Amino acid sequence: MSEEKTYIMTIDQGTTSSRAMIVDKKGDVVSMSQREFTQIFPEPGWVEHDPNEIWNSVQSVIAGAFIEGGINPRQIEGIGITNQRETTVVWEKDTGRPIYNAIVWQSRQTAGIANSLKEAGHTEFFHKKTGLVIDAYFSATKVRWILDRVEGAQERAEKGELLFGTIDTWVAWKLSDGDLHITDYSNASRTMLFNLETLDWDDEILELLNIPRVMLPEVVPNAGNYGKTKSYHFFGHEVPITGMIGDQQGALFGQLALEPGMVKSTYGTGAFIVMNIGDEPIYSKHNLLSTIGYVLDDKVTYALEGSIFVAGSAIQWLRDGLEMLKDSKDSQEMAERSTNHDEIYVVPAFTGLGAPYWNSDARGSVFGLTRGTTKDDFVKATLQSIAYQVRDVVDTMEKDSDIDIRLLKVDGGAALNDYLMQFQSDILGKEIKRAGNLETTALGAAYLAGLGAGYWKDLDELKAFVKEGATYTSKLNDARREELYEGWQHAVEATQLFAKWKGE
């Protein structure tokens, strides 16, 4: 009788859906299940999730992946968790009941707290400690907002009755039925509460924000045996949880961008460009984020990151809001059909501009329209806006790191758009290499869980799994490239001027 096969499971808890994926010894995906959940918009600019609905969706996709693959839970050697970062949950320690909805990373409802910190002169204080800019994007202002908003929450938190966690923490806590209150270094470094030098929660920041340390989870490396699920979540079996990582760092690891200078760009709802910078942090002078890439065997790998708030969601806007196309996939054909001379610029700042501008007041704008402008032209300009924003970040990374980036590894749903990828190469003047399997976030978490469980012995074994997709090289001459990019820079400048005028 042949020996029963074993596998690694990844739980990928994203912004709009939860997925479970099962991976075999060769790094191939053998089963996957996905389920969307409700997006809650209580007020303009606010985005929330129901933590219990997220948990229900996670349980559903776990069961779905087992059923889809005909796999028994006893065959799983380890579970990896990857997650939408910064999204914040506060819940009761005794009951597990959230005291408020999860505040999502995209939400601007805590901008007032962020602005007051900046006005009080704390910008450099936070940057030196956390490597981040002060922004509503990060978890710290969200925790403060919940403690202020919910009656009695501050007092209960100080008594140790409430717990804080990002979604990785929430999922691990639920899987273990409260035995595990943990987060990993990559997620901790996105809270605006974590010190990059001491690798611990920062007491001065906690005191400034009046956030009790007793609320915070234990910080653990990205691979290791943290504890086990309760058997009733896995059909009578306890399964070790052996890997955790934030989604964008997960994609960096899934692309096996393990050497300093390697860069990946994930094109999802937003776009996230992450650069491996090795074992010392670089504190950006140009508004990028210094963060932890991953921690293995007590060795810390740091990263630089540029976060773009609107990428794939701009195409969804064309489809759902403007009804310019029926399916997001149609955008490629429409862009290729356009015959204009790239004189239209769309700045999709629907929720402000991210890196390197960090202008939360900016809103979407369009420049260069004429009577001859067609839907095809508008769709093409929207796709180009994604590539222009990525160039903003890549150029800034080269300035901060003093490293010449020659190759950009790409993944995410919009990376399948050949027009976008070709224009990305054109406007960067660099080679673009698409991952053979675009599920790099979930794969990164699977690789870490496999290392933590001893399923794979080392990184060299993982490198044999890499599958590469299409490669794109620039077809634009330097003069035309810089002319187009200069137009983009003027469009962004005009967008910010309008935001400043409107705010006065």
Side-chain angles (χ1 to χ4, degrees), residues 55 93-96 170-181 228-233 241:
W55 169 235
K93 183 177 182 180
D94 289 344
T95 68
W170 172 246
V171 171
W173 196 87
K174 295 295 281 186
L175 284 170
S176 66
D177 204 14
D179 287 350
L180 295 176
H181 184 221
K228 293 184 177 180
T229 67
K230 291 301 181 185
S231 61
Y232 40 80
H233 294 315
I241 301 171

Side-chain angles (χ1 to χ4, degrees), residues 2 66 91 166 253 320 365 377 395 411 482:
S2 62
F66 285 133
W91 68 93
T166 42
F253 201 86
D320 303 334
S365 53
D377 303 334
D395 282 3
D411 54 70
E482 296 313 310

Side-chain angles (χ1 to χ4, degrees), residues 108-123:
R108 307 308 299 172
Q109 71 207 71
T110 65
I113 297 172
N115 289 338
S116 66
L117 289 170
K118 286 187 275 191
E119 288 164 5
H122 295 306
T123 299

Side-chain angles (χ1 to χ4, degrees), residues 350-363:
F350 305 141
T351 55
L353 287 166
Y357 308 105
W358 295 104
N359 186 332
S360 61
D361 297 323
R363 290 297 177 265

Side-chain angles (χ1 to χ4, degrees), residues 238-385:
E238 291 186 341
V239 182
I241 301 171
T242 55
M244 295 176 80
I245 194 163
D247 54 6
Q248 300 309 320
Q249 291 98 326
L252 184 77
F253 201 86
Q255 287 265 27
L256 295 181
L258 306 177
E259 300 298 327
M262 288 186 171
V263 184
K264 74 88 199 176
S265 180
T266 298
Y267 299 81
T269 303
F272 300 87
I273 303 92
V274 183
M275 179 186 203
N276 184 323
I277 55 173
D279 57 10
E280 292 288 337
I282 294 173
Y283 292 89
S284 175
K285 295 181 174 66
H286 305 95
N287 290 328
L288 295 185
L289 308 176
S290 302
T291 193
I292 291 177
Y294 53 89
V295 177
L296 284 178
D297 299 326
D298 298 323
K299 181 175 184 273
V300 182
T301 297
Y302 292 91
L304 273 178
E305 179 176 326
S307 306
I308 295 165
F309 295 151
V310 176
S313 56
I315 308 306
Q316 293 169 341
W317 167 66
L318 294 179
R319 182 193 67 197
D320 303 334
L322 300 187
E323 298 182 355
M324 283 191 177
L325 41 86
K326 290 182 179 178
D327 192 297
S328 297
K329 294 175 184 175
D330 297 338
S331 61
Q332 177 177 321
E333 182 184 348
M334 294 177 74
E336 290 169 345
R337 211 162 50 211
S338 170
T339 57
N340 77 354
H341 298 291
D342 304 312
E343 66 270 22
I344 302 169
Y345 290 89
V346 174
V347 183
F350 305 141
T351 55
L353 287 166
Y357 308 105
W358 295 104
N359 186 332
S360 61
D361 297 323
R363 290 297 177 265
S365 53
V366 184
F367 301 92
L369 295 178
T370 69
R371 278 291 300 272
T373 300
T374 67
K375 285 184 181 179
D376 294 343
D377 303 334
F378 201 96
V379 169
K380 180 172 75 169
T382 305
L383 284 173
Q384 288 178 343
S385 75

